[in-house]
Amino acid sequence: MTPGVVVADGKTRFTVRSPRAEALTLCLFENDGEQQVVMARWGDFWTVELPADLTGSRYGYRASGEWNPASGLWFDFEKLLVDPHAMELDGSFRFDQSLSTYGVDTASNIPKGIVANPEPLAKETPRFQQGGLIYEVSVRGLTMLHPDVPDALRGTVAALAHPAIVNHLKRLNVSAIELMPIVAWIDERHLPPLGLNNAWGYNPVAPMALDPRLCPGGVAELRKTVAALHAAGIGVILDIVLNHTGESDVLGPVLCLRGLDDATYAKAPDGSLINDTGCGNTLDFANPAVRALALDTLRHFVKHCGIDGFRFDLATILARSPGFFADAPIFAEIAADPWLSDRVLIAEPWDIGPGGYQLGAFPSNWLEWNDRFRDDVRRFWRGDAGVGVMATRIAGSADVFGKRSRSVNFLAAHDGFTLADGLAYEHRHNWANGEENRDGHGENFSWNNGVEGETRNPDVLAARTAYARAMLGTLFVSTGTILLTAGDEFGRSQRGNNNAYAQDNAITWVDWETRDRALEDYTCQLSTWRNERISHFVEFPENGHWQRLDGDCMAVEDWQSPETAGLRWSNDDYAFVIDRTSPFAGPA
């Protein structure tokens, strides 16, 4: 039995999985009316076929059964449930206490699925070259303030296809953009009382359903944007959250999976929710039904939208049962799938659970975010790490990945300080998040160059610019795939907020008018240099020479001495220099 909605031959079949429900009801909505249709059980599934093409119709489900949350039974007929396989929704999720209250009808407080019937696309080779530049993008953050993007497009996926955006990506020689979550999410329940909302989207409900705030045109809008970027030679990678859902802990709402099959969530021996994500729940990838939903999700985005690959948020969860296993079933299942086996697969290789840090442990065809690169590069330029560890990171982190680097090197990402803020703030400044500055990383290996935060001191500003250029140079000469978060190429600031997930405002919106155009030009020069010899950055060359800054060969004592301020490396194809005294890093 295939879950989801299938439209064929003038008929529409609805199928949903709910093994422990006593009854399932399909709810069709037209105007203000609700039509309820009883579904038939088929093993673990419930299904009904209607003699009409219902493309565009709005729908949801109601599940009947025992209400006993302590036993994992959350059946409440009054809760309208979103189809886990819904591709589009008629609205966005808004947290309301009724969603967590037994016996209160939620049909008016929850978006309905929209019956979608997209035609499959022809399968194409992913647009991406290992060693290339990935550009991490928040759809709203990148486009809300862009002066050349029309107001009606700002904040939407369609804006990414605007010539002003595409031209910027091409100028940076972007190999693929990585979109922060565009699937429908719900605000964490503590945010509305603070007057805040989730700006990043890492709190999804149904894994395939595009959020109409970002993608009001649904599947058609996403596939059209992907096609436009492909035409420009740019791939599209989705940052996807398959580790938890916005149903949160036991005080959270009943929206989707919880009301259909709570066994999708990992449990401790005492029945309590495992929280290896820090978000209240954890999807159980030891459960074949969870893996099937994940595979259906990935397959949908490739088959119907043309997506080139995926970045898996807290990817360690995918291999837990409950501990991490490098040979977890999901890896073989992805590798065996004809739609997924050739996609770009990128792990964020950690979670907060026991044994959650697994950098280097993912399959050989996966790339991995390398936070050691970020931290060690920052520490070197700050002055408290030596050239040995710096060289190891630049050379592809062979101590982690071996000879052929699977590293995704980055200086900053959506969480943590921006590149500019890491040079302007020693401490986090997260008061706007409403948590008394307790949230976000405490240690960022940052330094402020003499003044905390904004300043007009020319010496401080010059130092910050020099270090920014040096760190960008370090990134662009490094072996592995590289990642740049949108705006870091021209000095974007979040005013010292290193956890701006709840700031859907000027804190996270890229300010195109005041950007540092000189730094942008410099970044583009680095990127052009790298792009012209991109094949050399997949694997660190063996035929190169390490030298001291004065040109002599590096001796053992040079590698070990904290006084060694830099080095040179060269072979017949290219050369680079790292010099902490200047500071400078880049092609030689």
Side-chain angles (χ1 to χ4, degrees):
M1 184 66 66
T2 302
V5 182
V6 177
V7 180
D9 302 323
K11 301 176 182 179
T12 305
R13 185 176 71 247
F14 297 82
T15 304
V16 65
R17 186 177 184 277
S18 187
R20 295 194 288 176
E22 296 174 4
L24 250 291
T25 301
L26 167 67
C27 304
L28 297 171
F29 294 86
E30 185 174 359
N31 298 322
D32 294 330
E34 176 182 345
Q35 177 189 358
Q36 297 184 353
V37 182
V38 175
M39 305 178 75
R41 180 185 281 277
W42 191 283
D44 287 346
F45 296 88
W46 299 81
T47 188
V48 65
E49 185 174 85
L50 301 179
D53 183 332
L54 296 177
T55 301
S57 297
R58 300 181 301 137
Y59 74 103
Y61 297 113
R62 296 183 186 271
S64 300
E66 182 181 355
W67 175 266
N68 186 356
S71 298
L73 301 170
W74 296 76
F75 298 112
D76 179 1
F77 186 79
E78 300 302 317
K79 294 290 175 287
L80 185 71
L81 304 173
V82 173
D83 182 2
H85 283 76
M87 300 178 188
E88 298 178 359
L89 300 174
D90 71 348
S92 56
F93 288 96
R94 305 291 183 189
F95 184 82
D96 187 273
Q97 194 57 46
S98 67
L99 302 174
S100 304
T101 306
Y102 176 73
V104 177
D105 192 289
T106 58
S108 62
N109 291 326
I110 199 165
K112 285 75 178 172
I114 298 175
V115 176
N117 187 30
E119 289 291 327
L121 295 166
K123 187 170 183 288
E124 297 181 354
T125 302
R127 269 88 163 170
F128 177 74
Q129 186 169 0
Q130 191 167 345
L133 170 62
I134 297 174
Y135 192 67
E136 187 191 32
V137 167
S138 159
V139 171
R140 284 180 62 80
L142 183 69
T143 65
M144 284 298 291
L145 298 180
H146 199 295
D148 297 329
V149 174
D151 289 348
L153 284 184
R154 293 184 183 183
T156 71
V157 167
L160 302 176
H162 189 277
I165 300 296
V166 174
N167 290 340
H168 182 72
L169 299 176
K170 291 175 68 175
R171 187 164 176 255
L172 277 170
N173 299 289
V174 169
S175 180
I177 62 170
E178 181 178 297
L179 304 186
M180 290 168 61
I182 58 174
V183 168
W185 70 90
I186 189 169
D187 291 338
E188 292 82 353
R189 63 179 179 269
H190 74 279
L191 292 179
L194 296 172
L196 300 172
N197 59 278
N198 189 314
W200 286 353
Y202 290 90
N203 205 35
V205 176
M208 302 180 203
L210 295 168
D211 196 297
R213 290 170 291 189
L214 299 182
C215 204
V219 171
E221 179 176 335
L222 177 57
R223 68 194 283 170
K224 183 178 180 180
T225 298
V226 170
L229 290 166
H230 281 176
I234 299 167
V236 181
I237 296 168
L238 292 188
D239 190 339
I240 198 156
V241 182
L242 296 174
N243 55 76
H244 80 284
T245 80
E247 290 182 309
S248 189
D249 55 21
V250 294
L251 300 178
V254 179
L255 307 169
C256 184
L257 293 171
R258 173 169 284 159
L260 293 167
D261 181 20
D262 189 61
T264 54
Y265 296 115
K267 307 290 199 314
D270 64 0
S272 61
L273 286 168
I274 291 175
N275 188 22
D276 289 339
T277 64
C279 300
N281 63 56
T282 302
L283 288 171
D284 185 4
F285 272 79
N287 183 339
V290 171
R291 299 199 304 274
L293 177 59
L295 292 167
D296 287 347
T297 298
L298 302 177
R299 199 179 297 117
H300 157 65
F301 282 118
V302 176
K303 187 175 182 179
H304 296 129
C305 304
I307 294 301
D308 299 283
F310 303 92
R311 181 263 190 189
F312 296 88
D313 183 65
L314 302 184
T316 304
I317 298 296
L318 277 63
R320 282 191 176 276
S321 58
F324 176 86
F325 291 92
D327 59 351
I330 190 66
F331 299 135
E333 290 166 346
I334 291 174
D337 191 286
W339 284 97
L340 304 178
S341 59
D342 66 345
R343 296 298 100 176
V344 182
L345 304 169
I346 304 173
E348 181 186 37
W350 50 77
D351 62 34
I352 69 166
Y357 189 77
Q358 293 293 336
L359 180 66
F362 283 76
S364 60
N365 64 320
W366 285 54
L367 304 178
E368 301 183 35
W369 272 31
N370 186 357
D371 62 331
R372 291 189 192 174
F373 180 94
R374 175 198 63 198
D375 293 348
D376 288 342
V377 168
R378 290 183 182 184
R379 290 175 58 238
F380 173 82
W381 289 111
R382 192 172 71 169
D384 50 24
V387 294
V389 69
M390 181 69 151
T392 298
R393 298 294 159 249
I394 292 175
S397 295
D399 58 332
V400 177
F401 299 107
K403 182 178 179 182
R404 188 173 179 85
S405 182
R406 298 186 295 106
S407 179
V408 176
N409 301 329
F410 62 101
L411 303 170
H414 62 272
D415 53 351
F417 279 141
T418 68
L419 172 59
D421 285 353
L423 300 171
Y425 296 90
E426 185 175 348
H427 307 288
R428 66 192 178 202
H429 294 259
N430 297 354
W431 296 97
N433 297 349
E435 299 182 42
E436 298 184 356
N437 205 34
R438 295 190 301 265
D439 61 305
H441 294 296
E443 176 55 83
N444 299 274
F445 304 108
S446 62
W447 67 108
N448 62 24
N449 286 283
V451 176
E452 185 75 357
E454 295 182 7
T455 181
R456 294 182 180 180
N457 185 308
D459 293 334
V460 172
L461 294 176
R464 290 175 180 177
T465 297
Y467 278 116
R469 290 185 174 218
M471 293 176 73
L472 286 164
T474 306
L475 179 68
F476 279 91
V477 302
S478 67
T479 292
T481 295
I482 60 174
L483 178 140
L484 193 65
T485 297
D488 278 351
E489 69 272 27
F490 48 66
R492 177 181 71 98
S493 174
Q494 291 181 168
R495 306 173 192 170
N497 192 321
N498 74 351
N499 188 34
Y501 77 102
Q503 302 300 322
D504 185 17
N505 51 45
I507 291 177
T508 56
W509 297 349
V510 173
D511 185 349
W512 292 88
E513 296 286 7
T514 63
R515 68 190 192 270
D516 185 338
R517 294 176 186 268
L519 184 60
E520 178 183 344
D521 290 344
Y522 185 74
T523 306
C524 291
Q525 293 170 16
L526 289 170
S527 143
T528 298
W529 174 87
R530 181 184 178 94
N531 198 54
E532 290 171 347
R533 48 188 59 77
I534 191 170
S535 62
H536 297 294
F537 295 100
V538 175
E539 183 178 306
F540 193 68
E542 294 182 348
N543 62 341
H545 305 282
W546 295 100
Q547 297 174 301
R548 300 188 324 194
L549 291 174
D550 62 9
D552 288 344
C553 291
M554 290 283 289
V556 172
E557 55 268 26
D558 296 318
W559 287 110
Q560 296 177 344
S561 172
E563 302 302 317
T564 303
L567 46 74
R568 297 174 180 268
W569 181 91
S570 63
N571 69 2
D572 292 338
D573 298 307
Y574 71 101
F576 62 81
V577 61
I578 306 293
D579 183 356
R580 189 160 53 197
T581 59
S582 300
F584 174 82

